[in-house]
């Protein structure tokens, strides 16, 4: 198999990491066992652009057990676990990914994956799909695709709206068993993990600013509060801002927060949320991190131009010295801090996200002929079945409605007694 990874000598380490993840991903393991029997993806070439983590390794193994051939590129230049990349090559996947790619290498690897003329695409952020559509790739043979993250779904919806999307995509991100768990609990925990591994600063007592109170921001804010930080939220959506206020957080503009904050994390899916003006207003020692998909949420170019000096003071921490001597610390070059400085989300939440990926791929393999070039939600039955299975694997039983209750909740005749 053609591939490009850092070092095949790391494969044993990757095998251990994946075995650990497998033990914490029981839903996906059940799907894999069924896939091995039924082979629903037999003969399908999958082109994937995902963070190459141990959990993605478990997904790739499930797809291959289902009969697919998998070519995999990284969805971020800094997120690849090189051990996992090597172990997957040993398993028979074509992996083009290593940690620390340049922008050019990142896109070269996506091009390599697309050379395989896929029938199915699996994307995280929509770089693979947009490259395929814009560089004259072989869209003709593609039957369908899936998208893992909020930013990717936003981009693909814009493509569909503009009439540019050429095949059906399932928005895995928007499944309830993904968006309400992975983005909230996964991002909440792993983002703090990334900040702590990178800096080892004490969170208790710090002014911790979260930009964006959507799924990721909500999870992050509550976990930062749990560590004793004073959490400040910034928003542009009045409804989300109000929720943050009533959840007990301080809400202010980024202009105000810039002056008050000590640690700043962006989680918006937007660009230049922290720009030159805000950086200029910050206290010396401010720590900046991003957990939104792209490295555009913090204007790192502005930071570069404002600085008179820059050193890498620790792994994943760049110290910028401003003209007046203030120091500003940027984590993970402004890229996803949870994947670059830690290991991404815990396996237990990725279990549900990647169960959605595997079952959506199966759904596309079976039903592509009747789907249009639009962005679809994950079918409700798939989403529900994953929630049910996850509870079962956690050995948690829930009640079911009696026939009388079923009738009552659907009826209108009974009122006050
Ligand atoms: N770090 C990870 O592993 C990870 C995991 C999942 C999603 N993501 C990414 O995180 C980002 C957020 O995802 P989400 O699911 O929370 O989206 P979401 O749509 O639920 O929330 C985003 C929030 O940001 C707010 N916002 C937009 N512009 C803003 C601005 N200028 N200032 C303040 N707030 C602003 C929006 O009003 C919204 O409430 C996306 O880029 C997504 O792809 C990252």
């Amino acid at each position: 198999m053609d591939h490009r990874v850092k070092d095949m000598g790391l494969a044993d380490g990757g095998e251990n990491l994946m075995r650990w993840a497998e033990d914490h991903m029981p839903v996906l393991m059940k799907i894999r066992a069924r896939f091995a029997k039924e082979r629903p993806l037999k003969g399908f070439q999958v082109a994937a652009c995902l963070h190459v983590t141990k959990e993605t390794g478990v997904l790739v193994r499930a797809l291959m057990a289902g009969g697919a051939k998998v070519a995999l590129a990284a969805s971020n230049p800094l997120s690849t676990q090189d051990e996992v990349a090597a172990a997957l090559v040993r398993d028979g996947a074509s992996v083009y990914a290593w940690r620390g790619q340049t922008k050019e290498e990142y896109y070269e690897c996506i091009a390599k994956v697309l050379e395989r003329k896929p029938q199915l695409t699996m994307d995280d952020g929509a770089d693979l799909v947009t490259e395929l559509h814009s560089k004259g790739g072989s869209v003709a043979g593609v039957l369908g695709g899936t998208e893992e993250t909020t930013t990717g779904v936003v981009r693909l919806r814009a493509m569909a709206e503009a009439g540019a999307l050429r095949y059906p995509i399932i928005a895995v991100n928007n499944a309830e068993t993904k968006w309400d768990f992975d983005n909230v609990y996964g991002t909440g925990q792993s983002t703090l993990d990334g900040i702590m591994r990178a800096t080892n600063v004490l969170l208790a007592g710090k002014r911790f600013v979260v930009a964006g109170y959507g799924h990721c921001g909500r999870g992050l804010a509550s976990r930062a509060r749990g560590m004793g930080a004073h959490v400040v939220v910034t928003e542009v959506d009045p409804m989300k801002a109000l929720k943050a206020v009533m959840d007990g957080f301080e809400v202010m503009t980024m202009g105000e927060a810039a002056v008050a904050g000590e640690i700043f994390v962006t989680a918006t899916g937007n660009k230049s949320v922290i720009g030159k003006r805000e950086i200029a207003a910050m206290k010396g020692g401010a720590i900046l991190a991003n957990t939104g998909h792209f490295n555009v949420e913090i204007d790192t170019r502005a930071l570069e131009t404002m600085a008179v000096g820059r050193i890498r003071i620790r792994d994943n921490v760049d110290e910028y010295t401003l003209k007046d001597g203030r120091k500003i610390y940027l984590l993970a070059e402004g890229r996803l801090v949870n994947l670059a400085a830690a290991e991404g989300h815990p396996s237990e939440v990725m279990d549900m996200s990647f169960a959605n990926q595997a079952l959506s791929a199966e759904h596309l393999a079976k039903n592509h002929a009747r789907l249009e070039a639009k962005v679809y939600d994950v079918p409700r039955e798939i989403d529900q079945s994953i929630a049910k299975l996850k509870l079962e694997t956690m050995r948690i039983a829930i009640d079911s409605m009696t026939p009388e209750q079923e009738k009552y909740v659907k009826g209108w005749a009974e009122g006050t007694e």
Side-chain angles (χ1 to χ4, degrees):
M1 276 293 170
D2 189 32
H3 63 267
R4 192 168 163 205
V5 298
K6 184 161 183 202
D7 177 3
M8 281 306 293
L10 299 171
D12 285 344
E15 180 62 36
N16 287 344
L17 286 172
M18 281 196 280
R19 274 178 41 201
W20 176 266
E22 283 171 0
D23 284 347
H24 295 84
M25 301 178 85
V27 176
L28 188 55
M29 292 303 278
K30 273 188 194 243
I31 293 168
R32 171 163 143 191
R34 179 172 66 74
F35 273 17
K37 274 194 223 124
E38 299 176 6
R39 309 276 287 168
L41 301 175
K42 189 157 184 269
F44 280 85
Q45 173 70 56
V46 175
C49 178
L50 299 168
H51 299 295
V52 183
T53 61
K54 58 191 186 305
E55 292 77 18
T56 299
V58 182
L59 171 63
V60 168
R61 284 180 164 177
L63 299 173
M64 293 198 300
K69 287 195 225 111
V70 181
L72 174 65
S75 56
N76 185 297
L78 282 186
S79 65
T80 297
Q81 292 165 2
D82 290 314
E83 302 88 336
V84 173
L88 286 176
V89 169
R90 202 164 66 182
D91 281 358
S94 306
V95 184
Y96 303 90
W98 58 95
R99 185 187 160 92
Q101 293 173 322
T102 61
K103 183 175 168 186
E104 291 69 33
E105 288 167 340
Y106 171 79
Y107 282 105
E108 274 164 28
C109 288
I110 290 179
K112 285 303 260 180
V113 159
L114 289 174
E115 277 174 14
R116 296 302 164 102
K117 305 209 180 319
Q119 283 86 45
L120 294 176
T121 63
M122 210 167 253
D123 214 348
D124 186 338
D127 278 345
L128 181 135
V129 174
T130 48
E131 284 293 289
L132 180 61
H133 280 69
S134 60
K135 301 261 166 75
S138 54
V139 180
V142 186
L143 305 172
T146 60
E147 171 53 52
E148 171 73 10
T149 198
T150 318
T151 285
V153 173
V154 170
R155 292 179 84 192
L156 292 165
R157 288 233 161 98
M159 270 178 94
E161 196 99 322
L165 186 66
R166 302 269 304 280
Y167 60 85
I169 302 265
I170 297 186
V172 163
N173 178 72
N174 295 24
E176 241 180 294
T177 46
K178 197 280 180 183
W179 214 1
D180 285 349
F181 297 89
D182 169 316
N183 299 37
V184 180
Y185 307 103
T187 310
Q189 177 168 322
S190 61
T191 301
L192 281 194
D193 186 15
I195 294 167
M196 292 193 293
R197 288 197 206 189
T199 64
N200 198 29
V201 295
L202 184 71
L203 297 177
K206 289 272 187 332
R207 280 275 185 137
F208 191 103
V209 179
V210 178
Y213 199 67
H215 294 74
C216 295
R218 180 154 53 89
L220 176 59
S222 83
R223 267 128 197 86
R225 173 158 64 190
M227 295 295 286
H230 297 293
V231 179
V232 171
V233 169
T234 73
E235 251 297 344
V236 290
D237 178 336
M239 204 66 79
K240 299 284 173 53
L242 200 53
K243 284 185 181 162
V245 171
M246 301 236 176
D247 284 343
F249 297 108
E250 246 187 294
V251 174
M252 54 179 87
T253 65
M254 184 53 88
E256 293 166 317
V259 182
E262 293 167 286
I263 300 174
F264 296 81
V265 190
T266 49
T268 69
N270 210 336
K271 68 189 292 196
S272 301
V273 177
I274 295 179
K276 193 171 180 176
R277 216 159 33 132
E278 290 77 29
I279 296 169
M282 285 174 186
K283 293 190 191 87
I287 293 171
L288 313 188
N290 167 51
T291 201
H293 188 75
F294 286 122
N295 58 332
V296 295
E297 301 214 9
I298 300 167
D299 188 348
T300 52
R301 287 207 190 112
L303 183 56
E304 293 280 347
T305 57
M306 292 164 80
V308 293
R310 170 186 155 184
I311 58 161
R312 173 138 311 174
I313 192 148
R314 294 165 59 95
D315 283 350
N316 294 306
V317 185
D318 288 326
E319 179 190 86
Y320 288 82
T321 305
L322 306 187
K323 282 195 193 79
D324 61 5
R326 267 177 304 153
K327 313 255 194 239
I328 303 288
Y329 297 96
L330 177 68
L331 308 192
E333 301 169 19
R335 299 191 190 277
L336 291 163
V337 70
N338 60 331
L339 281 137
E343 290 174 67
H345 295 0
S347 307
E348 292 89 335
V349 277
M350 294 316 294
D351 191 22
M352 293 194 281
S353 307
F354 285 166
N356 274 292
Q357 284 284 6
L359 296 181
S360 295
E362 181 184 34
H363 180 78
L364 285 167
K366 283 189 183 146
N367 301 297
H368 60 84
R370 57 181 182 78
L371 299 177
E372 297 164 36
K374 316 197 288 204
V375 179
Y376 288 86
D377 282 337
V378 172
R380 188 73 189 146
E381 350 32 290
I382 291 183
D383 205 357
Q384 291 277 5
S385 73
I386 292 170
K388 198 162 167 273
L389 210 52
K390 186 71 180 175
L391 281 170
E392 275 169 29
T393 63
M394 295 165 89
R395 294 175 204 278
I396 294 170
I398 59 167
D399 292 321
S400 46
M401 284 197 257
T402 62
E404 191 193 3
Q405 287 171 334
E406 293 259 15
K407 199 168 152 222
Y408 179 76
V409 295
K410 285 184 193 141
W412 55 269
E414 287 184 64
T416 308
E417 292 218 357

